[in-house]
Amino acid sequence: MKKSDSITEIRSLRWQDPTLSWGLVPTMGALHIGHLSLVQRSISENDRTAVSIFINPKQFNDSGDLEQYPRTLDADLALLAEAGVDLVFFPKSEEMYPPGFQTELVVNGVTKPLEGAHRPGHFEGVTLVVGKLFNIIQPTRAYFGQKDAQQTIVLKRMVTDLNFNLELVVCPTVREADGLAFSSRNVNLSQAERASATILYQTLEHGKRMIEEGERSYKVIKAAMEKKLLSEPLAKPEYVEITSLDTLLPLDPLTGDLLLSMAVSIGDTRLIDNFMVSID
Ligand code: AMP
């Protein structure tokens, strides 16, 4: 496995054989089974796989959150070597944003609701860094998790609008046995908080079941999901939404392809999760 923090070196390693297909898995490190599922998918679909590890300061709207974000580079590199990754890019912030950096990359529309409404500037940071990674690595395919559903929708929009020459692959959310989605942030949960964090999954299940049983009222399902979340004393919901999967805007009555999504703080840890549900 080759590793580098230099854009120039990564470019030369990537282009040693231009006939090979490359998969890219962008991450912020503190790797877990969810990340590794993306890596395995990339390895199975491409000649070579690159993983980036970069805690992108521009996508954190809260400096405390950035400081608290777990950093485990040595363990990450060991996991990636064992998984069979070919190239790891772990630039320093100055490599990605050198003095004089002045460019922004803004997707409108789908960046505005949900996470966009609660984390101002977050998606501008995401699109900027992913756009840079796409230009640096020029992957054939890039792999993202359904766990960050809005991110995949925003990035698909960016790839289409800016004609990035790659296929964006969305991989299913990997969960622990009790339904909690794997997340780098889970390590920050105390034992009691970890036990209560399963409420996100239970609430999504509850909403999904109501839809499957025929409920079509946005208000009724949203209220039921909020009530379920609030039944867990340690959970502080930021938002719970039922939206169109395409526009990410609420719709009433519910119809078509839907996204049930939420952001919930458990103690100091902010967790997100979602389900996709389709009504025929
Ligand atoms: P992060 O390091 O949190 O930025 O995540 C890097 C990539 O891994 C993103 O595309 C995430 O959506 C994806 N990812 C994170 N957690 C999971 C999970 N539990 N299952 C599947 N993909 C995930």
Side-chain angles (χ1 to χ4, degrees):
M1 184 174 80
K2 300 261 173 34
K3 324 170 236 195
S4 177
D5 59 5
S6 145
I7 293 172
T8 312
E9 195 178 6
I10 284 289
R11 281 219 164 109
S12 75
L13 292 166
R14 189 263 178 258
W15 289 109
Q16 272 175 356
D17 181 348
T19 64
L20 300 178
S21 64
W22 277 82
L24 169 66
V25 183
T27 81
M28 298 201 298
L31 300 180
H32 51 67
I33 297 173
H35 295 116
L36 293 180
S37 73
L38 274 54
V39 168
Q40 278 148 8
R41 176 92 177 259
S42 173
I43 289 174
S44 75
E45 294 180 351
N46 299 279
D47 299 318
R48 298 285 183 270
T49 288
V51 175
S52 60
I53 299 177
F54 180 57
I55 303 182
N56 174 31
K58 289 194 188 277
Q59 72 187 70
F60 284 80
N61 55 314
D62 173 344
S63 57
D65 189 24
L66 173 60
E67 265 164 46
Q68 232 192 31
Y69 202 85
R71 291 160 169 84
T72 58
L73 184 61
D74 290 344
D76 293 347
L77 292 174
L79 277 174
L80 295 176
E82 199 186 333
V85 165
D86 301 283
L87 186 58
V88 184
F89 178 44
F90 50 101
K92 298 207 170 54
S93 201
E94 308 82 76
E95 180 77 353
M96 294 296 269
Y97 305 116
F101 192 93
Q102 297 186 350
T103 299
E104 295 185 342
L105 203 172
V106 180
V107 173
N108 286 306
V110 287
T111 56
K112 301 303 174 212
L114 306 177
E115 288 296 286
H118 291 264
R119 299 184 71 188
H122 170 66
F123 284 120
E124 286 76 3
V126 170
T127 48
L128 183 62
V129 79
V130 174
K132 280 177 68 77
L133 290 169
F134 285 176
N135 280 332
I136 292 164
I137 313 257
Q138 299 191 22
T140 317
R141 298 181 188 84
Y143 295 81
F144 295 89
Q146 176 61 31
K147 158 93 178 3
D148 297 273
Q150 187 173 13
Q151 172 170 278
T152 67
I153 291 163
V154 168
L155 292 176
K156 275 186 195 161
R157 191 70 256 162
M158 179 184 86
V159 165
T160 302
D161 290 355
L162 296 184
N163 310 98
F164 279 103
N165 188 20
L166 56 87
E167 182 191 346
L168 196 150
V169 181
V170 180
C171 304
T173 302
V174 182
R175 299 178 179 281
E176 303 217 38
D178 67 354
L180 178 66
F182 280 99
S183 164
S184 303
R185 295 169 189 272
N186 292 356
V187 297
N188 291 334
L189 297 169
S190 71
Q191 216 176 342
E193 289 168 350
R194 168 63 190 84
S196 70
T198 189
I199 193 67
L200 279 82
Y201 178 76
Q202 289 167 357
T203 301
L204 289 166
E205 279 285 344
H206 187 55
K208 181 179 168 208
R209 202 172 323 116
M210 288 178 76
I211 294 170
E212 283 169 356
E213 286 169 1
E215 181 59 64
R216 293 292 177 267
S217 163
Y218 165 81
K219 281 189 192 138
V220 168
I221 295 179
K222 185 174 154 94
M225 291 177 72
E226 283 171 347
K227 189 171 166 206
K228 177 88 180 162
L229 269 181
L230 290 171
S231 71
E232 170 48 63
L234 294 183
K236 287 185 208 70
E238 224 177 78
Y239 67 84
V240 183
E241 269 303 345
I242 307 120
T243 61
S244 149
L245 185 60
D246 296 331
T247 63
L248 301 179
L249 297 173
L251 70 178
D252 197 5
L254 301 177
T255 178
D257 294 331
L258 305 173
L259 185 73
L260 280 56
S261 65
M262 61 180 64
V264 180
S265 288
I266 310 270
D268 291 336
T269 307
R270 185 179 189 276
L271 301 176
I272 60 170
D273 202 352
N274 69 85
F275 274 12
M276 288 185 296
V277 179
S278 291
I279 299 176
D280 300 327

